[in-house]
Amino acid sequence: MSNIDRRTLVKGSLAAMMAGAAFSRSAFAQSSEPILLGVSGPLTGPNAQYGTQWKQGFDLALDEIQAAGGINGRKLAYQFEDSQSDPRQSVAIAQKFVSNPAIVLELGDFSSPASMAASPIYQRAGLVQFGFTNSHPDFTKGGDFMWSTSVSQADEQPLLASYAVRRLKLKKLAVLHLNTDWGRTSRDYFVNAAKEYGAEIAVTEGYIAEERDFRSTLVRVRDANPDGLILISYYSDGALIARQARQVGLKQVICAASSVYSPKFLELGGEAVEDVHVGTRYFPEDPRPEVQKFISGFKRKYNGLEPDAFNAYAYDAMNMAAAVVRIGGTDRKAIREAFTKVKDVPSVIFGTATFDVATRRVKGAMNAELVVRKGQFALWDGKPT
Amino acid sequence: MSSWLDYTINGLIVGNVYALVAVGLALIFGVSRLINFAQGSIYLVGAYIGWVAVVQLHTPLPLTIIVVAAAAAVVGLIIERFGLRPLQNSVRIAPLLATIGISFVLDQLVMLTFSPNPRALPSQLPDVRFQVGGGTIGPLDLLIAGVGLTSALLLFVFLRYSKLGWAVRAASQDRDAAMQMGVDVNRVNQAVFGIAAALGGVSGMLVGMYYNQIDTAMSLQATLKGVVAEVVGGAGNVPGAVIGSLLLGLVESYGVAVFGTSYRNLFAFLLLVVVLVLRPNGLFASARQAPPEPLTGTFIAPSRPVRIPRWALAVAAVGFAILPFFPVSFYVLQTLINAWLLGMLALSLTLVAGTVGQVSLGHAALLAIGAYTSALLSLTLSVPVGLAVIGGGLMSAALGTLLISPSFRLRGHYVSIATLAIGEIVSLVILNWESVTRGPIGISGIPPLSLFGYDLISPSSIYWFSFAVMTVLALLQGRLLGSHLGRSFRAIRDDDIAARAYGLSLNRYKSLAFIFGGFAAGVSGGIAAHLYSYINHETFNTQQSILALTVVILGGLGNVVGAIVGAVALVGLPEVFRIAAEYRILIYGIVLLLLVRFRPQGLLGTI
């Protein structure tokens, strides 16, 4: 680091401390104030729905954490800043968080551009950026303060490929994927694994997030004559594709990535998603106590609402953050170290979660083979559809 | 071969969907010469009213349609009465900006009321399918087609044979003459907005039923596709809008057939550019139609600019320059860095739109070109970052000017639509040209800013760097505008026919403006790339272009200081309202509306 930088950094951190002291009393009243996490995510704009889902998951986890006595007697709380998942705003939020000494850990952002634009700021300031929806392969390469519980697609996609090719015996596949960093990476992992298992990839089609009409795409799929359709989609576009596939007369087996796992998928897809196979990280009938506690707690708190995958990511992320803060205390560096020490945290998605210190990601996603039967997700009974 | 039949049918079906929006847009354009960016929001409102009617009140379909049409019409009337009528005598750009503000407000109100989660809007028609070609058609497809065609037909009859329709046409041809002939122009406007909004609302509901899905993000896409379809057909021409929509649907469908799904929108926007280049007024513009608005005095507010004395500017510059020495938080510095980056983009746009009169709605493309060039130069060719940023500026200047040059012969709103399309095309090319741009994965690990071997990574040094670059660009531009060249630019803006008569070569001067402007925007994008270290095709999107235009208009068209003031204000406002969380975009929209209402010439006025 050059001289200029060191000088400005020292000056800057002095300024930051003054600013921090000015608008947060926590500097004076350490013990009674809650331990504060920063959240950078979308509350408005095109991705607003995901921020709303995060909040539901966070709030449920926090209720349970406070009920269990908080973190060594202190409450845990978060400050949610709306970034609209826009990199300009996420960098400003990053500066806001790093210069507020009360913030001990940061969660988010939602999309890769917004998250990774802010990474250099968190990295230099030494504040952990804990991205739990960041499956971009380079997210955790941003520095040793970038950690993620977003399941590496390298882990998940081969499981889906195995479901489709080995279990459902689909030999010729058409892959439709969201043409984003996530969809693209997932597609590559999926295609490689599927080929390894002996399947042929007849066609792959990438579509942009705003797409609503898939009829022409599905004609291409039909002409490729596959015996199975693989959707690497979110629940809203996944439901659209399934509906339109049935409308244009495609009767092939549909198999979708875990990201469609949402009651909304059933609601939006209606009858068209009947018999769709979903490889997922968790399912409501999973007898594990973490899962049952999450689902019953969620329904109780939100008037019978069924949780979905994004709710679960946020819930797990908050619990993971609590576990880390329990070990690391309120010191940012110690929290960074705590990520390397934290072990076997109970979680909905992973069973018990432990970070792989080399990749700074969690390994070992659970995979349940589900199928939609009578409008509900159910464990697949092994019978062909 | 049967597949081609299927592609054709699919194209026509989706074209019908576009037609529902485009017809409303065409009506409003026909009368008010206004591209109503709030039409997509009315479509959104209609979809949610439909949801309430169907899911909560269990209304039968005919009643649902009536309820939605009536409620949307009321929204349209309110917009006309309180949002647009007060702007009647102000500059042309004011109502355009107001519709953008109104769309923010409506979208946010819907989002706050219904939450952003997508909802299912069940179709109320029986789910039977008829086999056509290799695919099927259902009753809802037919209903949408029916509504699209019937409304176009009814409107045609209304405009041609009813008295109010005559009044509408008279008002659209020559507003003042119509008023002198005793036409109540306000009533005409009201009728048009009511009809267009009712159509927009019903279309949102039908499209929601068609996809069994509505969400609060559907409005911008609807507006975009509707505008493309309308302009392809010939703005203001109702049957043209329908044909334009069908054509758009077909081109998209065939594009998918030949090249694959990821090229779909690329073909939609290419169609628009090609049509505009070959037939600048759209395919069905009638020869007798009044020539489109030249961007002359009517566009630029007749205002006296606020002259800020030089010493005051110098004091302000020094104040901002020494700001990091004071105990300000990094957050404030970062916010100002964002403002300086937006300021450079605004300088670029104020030169192009304000001084030369070429309104651009695709300026984010220049950022993207600069950012990708700079990132790739420094990453793959190891060019020093300082030079790479300059390279980004040069590439934006060259490529941007080249891309935009076909639209130089366009006039009025057609320029803004063409630039909108070019912005989308650049973004889609970045997404699809994987061998160079790495496609959807984007570019990560872009080295930080550095100058003469020093890495600029502290907020203060980035702050100084971006402030200095912006200041230099602003001074250069100020000098440019004061010169002979600047006067020629303004002459083109104020009256291009007169300017041509004086022997000015319009295309050359417009190119010069784009070269200067492209450079500033490209540098801004380049700096942003190194600041973020990661970019992808979504980093610089249409919303950035709209933001830049808002900044420029807010500051005062052609006003260098105004562009910077506007950038600080528009980056600052959402940050100031940050505590308001979900409500901040709503507040932002309202503030924008109030500004347009009470200061349409911009804070500092047009130069």
Side-chain angles (χ1 to χ4, degrees), chain B residues 307-321:
Chain B
R307 294 268 175 215
I308 298 176
R310 272 165 193 260
W311 62 263
L313 286 177
V315 168
V318 170
F320 276 117

Side-chain angles (χ1 to χ4, degrees), chain A residues 38-43 54 78-85 89 93 96-97 109, chain B residues 331 575 578-579 581 584:
Chain A
V39 180
S40 167
L43 287 176
W54 285 11
Y78 65 87
Q79 178 182 338
F80 201 129
E81 296 284 357
D82 174 25
S83 66
Q84 298 186 307
S85 231
Q89 300 187 45
I93 291 168
K96 191 170 189 175
F97 285 158
D109 202 284
Chain B
Y331 166 59
E575 295 295 337
R578 190 167 276 296
I579 11 172
R584 72 196 182 101

Side-chain angles (χ1 to χ4, degrees), chain A residues 14 18 27 90 147 152-153 160 179 209 276 326 352 357 383:
Chain A
L14 275 176
M18 290 167 70
S90 71
W147 293 77
S152 165
Q153 296 304 320
L160 180 65
N179 206 4
V276 169
R326 244 182 220 117
T352 54
V357 177
K383 288 182 198 144

Side-chain angles (χ1 to χ4, degrees), chain A residues 50-311:
Chain A
Y50 301 108
T52 313
Q53 287 172 323
W54 285 11
K55 271 187 154 178
Q56 291 170 336
F58 289 157
D59 289 342
L60 176 63
L62 284 181
D63 285 354
E64 293 173 9
I65 292 163
Q66 318 308 14
I71 310 287
N72 307 328
R74 287 178 68 181
K75 281 192 167 169
L76 190 64
Y78 65 87
Q79 178 182 338
F80 201 129
E81 296 284 357
D82 174 25
S83 66
Q84 298 186 307
S85 231
D86 166 14
R88 275 158 218 79
Q89 300 187 45
S90 71
V91 294
I93 291 168
Q95 296 289 9
K96 191 170 189 175
F97 285 158
V98 301
S99 58
N100 179 357
I103 305 270
V104 299
L105 170 73
E106 191 270 347
L107 290 149
D109 202 284
F110 175 71
S111 73
S112 296
S115 310
M116 289 163 71
S119 293
I121 295 168
Y122 291 115
Q123 177 66 25
R124 278 171 214 140
L127 176 64
V128 169
Q129 182 186 25
F130 180 23
F132 56 97
T133 55
N134 301 99
S135 58
H136 192 289
D138 292 342
F139 171 72
T140 55
K141 293 178 192 161
D144 60 348
F145 279 83
M146 275 75 241
W147 293 77
S148 178
T149 46
S150 171
V151 180
S152 165
Q153 296 304 320
D155 269 4
E156 181 179 339
Q157 293 302 329
L159 296 174
L160 180 65
S162 163
Y163 188 12
V165 181
R166 289 174 165 171
R167 305 267 291 146
L168 294 167
K169 312 281 181 230
L170 305 175
K171 289 297 164 216
K172 195 172 172 193
L173 302 174
V175 182
L176 274 72
H177 65 93
L178 196 59
N179 206 4
T180 59
D181 54 329
W182 168 78
R184 193 42 205 280
T185 318
S186 303
R187 183 199 86 181
D188 291 344
Y189 283 122
F190 178 89
V191 165
N192 288 339
K195 280 185 184 156
E196 203 175 295
Y197 300 149
E200 178 196 344
I201 306 296
V203 59
T204 66
E205 293 287 330
Y207 60 90
I208 59 171
E210 291 83 16
E211 203 81 78
R212 285 286 175 273
D213 185 83
F214 295 93
R215 285 166 169 260
S216 297
T217 303
L218 290 164
V219 174
R220 267 175 89 88
V221 168
R222 186 195 69 199
D223 290 353
N225 196 24
D227 45 31
L229 239 65
I230 309 298
L231 307 186
I232 296 176
S233 309
Y234 289 160
Y235 59 81
S236 57
D237 33 321
L240 277 174
I241 296 174
R243 278 179 71 86
Q244 292 176 30
R246 297 311 181 217
Q247 281 176 2
V248 303
L250 288 183
K251 298 193 171 57
Q252 278 88 341
V253 178
I254 297 178
C255 205
S258 66
S259 38
V260 304
Y261 184 83
S262 168
K264 285 274 175 194
F265 181 66
L266 305 174
E267 188 191 340
L268 300 174
E271 288 191 356
V273 297
E274 194 68 18
D275 295 331
V276 169
H277 294 265
V278 183
T280 181
R281 322 277 179 62
Y282 82 105
F283 63 107
E285 283 96 62
D286 189 328
R288 283 189 297 126
E290 297 86 18
V291 178
Q292 288 313 314
K293 192 170 99 181
F294 167 63
I295 288 166
S296 61
F298 196 92
K299 284 187 180 166
R300 207 175 317 121
K301 189 169 167 67
Y302 300 108
N303 305 324
L305 192 67
E306 292 266 353
D308 74 1
F310 283 96
N311 294 133

